[in-house]
Structures are given as structure tokens and as C-alpha cells.
Amino acid sequence: MALAQPAGRTLAAAVADLRRGWEQRSLWGHLGWQDIRQRYRRSVLGPIWITISMAVTAVALGILYSGLFDVELSRLLPHVLVGFVVWNFISGCISEGSEVFIANEGLIKHLPAPLSVHVYRLVWRQTLFFAHNLLVYLVMLLVFPQPLSWTVVAAVPAFVLLALNGAWVALAVGIITTRFRDILPITQSIVQLAFFLTPIVWIYDELVNSPNPAIAERARLAEFNPFLHYIEIIRRPLLGQDQYLRHWVVVLVITVVGWVLTMVVLRRYRSRVSYWV
């Protein structure tokens, strides 16, 4: 006869946690807004400082790499700006997700709420930052008009996929990091390294089509970088470029596999997080 699993360590309990967390949208929605308001309390520009900081960095790197790679600024700068907007969301979900439960120790111990509430709160906060940063994209369209078409709407489902991935990453990595604190600095280092390995400040197509076969061959290794595909499913429609099916396939496969593994982690260790924080 099969042994009964401990309470709280079943798949149904893990699914219920996600469902109950989603039903408490008013709670994590309010907390997400409060996070932004508290961070920029008594600031005149508030969250716009995030946009200004990102825009200045993106423009500076765009000008620098435009000269280094001998690429027209009108082509490279929009590429860099949109890449930064998407990357900030990705890196925010990973970096803050790795300490999402550690940072909410007080709430977890004293507020009877599902664990997923804290993950939804994090993804919602990053979504608000993403919306703020889109102001840079709109300004960029005025300065460097892009050949946009109806395919620009593909950026909407692409962002939904991005948010779904941000949620499972924050949930899985957050639980693991809560148990093994040494993983936190490792995660931060990996995010920094991934920035340089991902075609954000350099154009992947330029290097792949390089007349130098050695450069072209090495550039193709970027296809093994999952962040490339996440960036491209949003950046290409926002810049009016043709989309490639392989980017969507890779992202969809990672999304499914990621959530399956996350549900396993959530099922086994959800009840232990409150003891680990």
C-alpha cells in the first residue's frame, strides 16, 4: 500500500499555492506599487530615474560600440536600447528572484499568505519598471523611426512568455537560494556574465555574417545562449524586423520544462521555506 505524502508536499498543494496567490492580486498588486513608491520616496522624478539611468547607459554604450564595430549609430542604438529594456526585466527577475523569500522573511513568518504572492509581487514590480522603460523606446522611435508593421503586436505574447519565465525562475531559484545562501552571489555573478555573452550591445546578425569565417563560427555559439532567444522574441517585433520560429520554439520549450521542474521543487520544499528564512 502506498504511503501518504506529508501534508503540504503534494502536487495539489503546490498548484493550490499558485492559484491562491493569483487570487490575492489586490494584495501583491498593492505591495508592488508600494515597493516603487518607497524606493523613490521624496524623489521629484520617482521611477523615472530608472528610465533616465538606463537610457544614459544604453546611449553611451551604443555610441561606444558603434565606433568599435563600425556600425551606423542609427542601426545600433535602437538595437541596444530595446535590448536594455528587455534585459533589465530579465535580470531583475533573476537577481531579485534569488532573494525573493529572504527579503520577505518578516511577511512569510507573520502573514498567512501563499509563497507565490511574493513571486507575483516581484514580477508585477518588474513589469511596472518595464512599462516605465518603454518611454525610452517611444522616444527612440521619434529619433530613429523603425519600419514597424502589424507584427509589432507579437511583442505582447512575447512579454507574457517573459513574465511566465520570470515567475518560475524566481520561484525555483528563490526556494533553492533560501536553503543554500551561497548560491545568491553565484547567481549575481552569472547574471553579470550573461549580459556580455548576450547580444545586447552587439548585433548577432552582423557577426554571424562576418566575412571572417572564424568570427562567424564563434558567433553561432550564441544560439546556445537562452537569453538570446528571450531578447529576440521581443526586440525583433519592436524594431520591425523579421521573426524567426526557432526563437519562439526555444522559449516555449524552456517555459514548459522550467515550470515542470519548478512544480517539483515547489511540491517538495514549499512547506520548508518558512523555516529556512
Side-chain angles (χ1 to χ4, degrees):
M1 184 175 65
L3 295 176
Q5 289 185 308
R9 295 187 60 182
T10 65
L11 181 60
V15 174
D17 188 288
L18 294 174
R19 185 185 67 253
R20 288 187 292 112
W22 180 255
E23 290 172 351
Q24 297 185 26
R25 293 185 292 275
S26 59
L27 173 61
W28 51 260
H30 174 72
L31 291 175
W33 276 109
Q34 286 298 112
D35 289 340
I36 296 178
R37 294 181 62 182
Q38 284 296 112
R39 184 177 300 186
Y40 296 97
R41 188 180 181 183
R42 297 181 181 176
S43 171
V44 176
L45 297 180
I48 300 299
W49 277 117
I50 301 174
T51 303
I52 294 175
S53 175
M54 188 213 68
V56 171
T57 304
V59 170
L61 290 177
I63 294 174
L64 172 63
Y65 283 92
S66 174
L68 291 176
F69 292 133
D70 193 24
V71 179
E72 292 183 3
L73 184 62
S74 59
R75 182 169 179 230
L76 183 61
L77 191 53
H79 179 90
V80 173
L81 282 171
V82 178
F84 256 88
V85 172
V86 182
W87 178 255
N88 278 353
F89 180 88
I90 294 174
S91 62
C93 288
I94 298 175
S95 298
E96 295 188 20
S98 61
E99 54 182 348
V100 62
F101 301 125
I102 299 173
N104 290 287
E105 175 185 355
L107 290 176
I108 291 174
K109 289 184 174 180
H110 300 99
L111 179 67
L115 278 183
S116 57
V117 163
H118 307 290
V119 173
Y120 291 137
R121 172 186 180 182
L122 182 152
V123 176
W124 170 238
R125 183 170 65 246
Q126 292 301 322
T127 300
L128 294 176
F129 289 150
F130 181 86
H132 275 109
N133 290 337
L134 282 181
L135 294 174
V136 177
Y137 169 72
L138 297 177
V139 173
M140 181 273 296
L141 289 179
L142 297 177
V143 181
F144 301 109
Q146 302 297 307
L148 300 180
S149 63
W150 64 271
T151 56
V152 70
V153 299
V156 176
F159 181 76
V160 172
L161 278 175
L162 206 64
L164 285 173
N165 280 270
W168 76 253
V169 168
L171 196 54
V173 178
I175 290 176
I176 296 172
T177 304
T178 303
R179 175 62 180 87
F180 303 101
R181 302 298 174 92
D182 291 336
I183 296 179
L184 181 58
I186 295 175
T187 302
Q188 306 292 340
S189 299
I190 291 175
V191 170
Q192 293 179 4
L193 177 62
F195 172 81
F196 296 102
L197 297 178
T198 305
I200 298 172
V201 296
W202 48 277
I203 301 178
Y204 172 68
D205 293 340
E206 286 281 336
L207 298 183
V208 168
N209 298 319
S210 172
N212 187 327
I215 294 178
E217 184 178 354
R218 286 195 294 267
R220 290 190 183 93
L221 295 176
E223 288 285 343
F224 294 99
N225 180 356
F227 296 115
L228 163 69
H229 306 284
Y230 285 99
I231 295 284
E232 291 299 283
I233 62 173
I234 294 185
R235 179 163 57 190
R236 298 192 75 87
L238 289 181
L239 295 180
Q241 299 173 349
D242 294 334
Q243 299 184 69
Y244 299 121
L245 180 61
R246 70 179 187 276
H247 296 315
W248 288 87
V249 171
V250 171
V251 170
L252 286 170
V253 169
I254 295 176
T255 302
V256 173
V257 173
W259 269 109
V260 169
L261 296 177
T262 297
M263 294 306 295
V264 173
V265 173
L266 185 62
R267 177 180 66 85
R268 291 181 60 86
Y269 304 112
R270 182 183 65 86
S271 59
R272 302 184 187 180
V273 172
S274 59
Y275 298 99
W276 290 341
V277 293

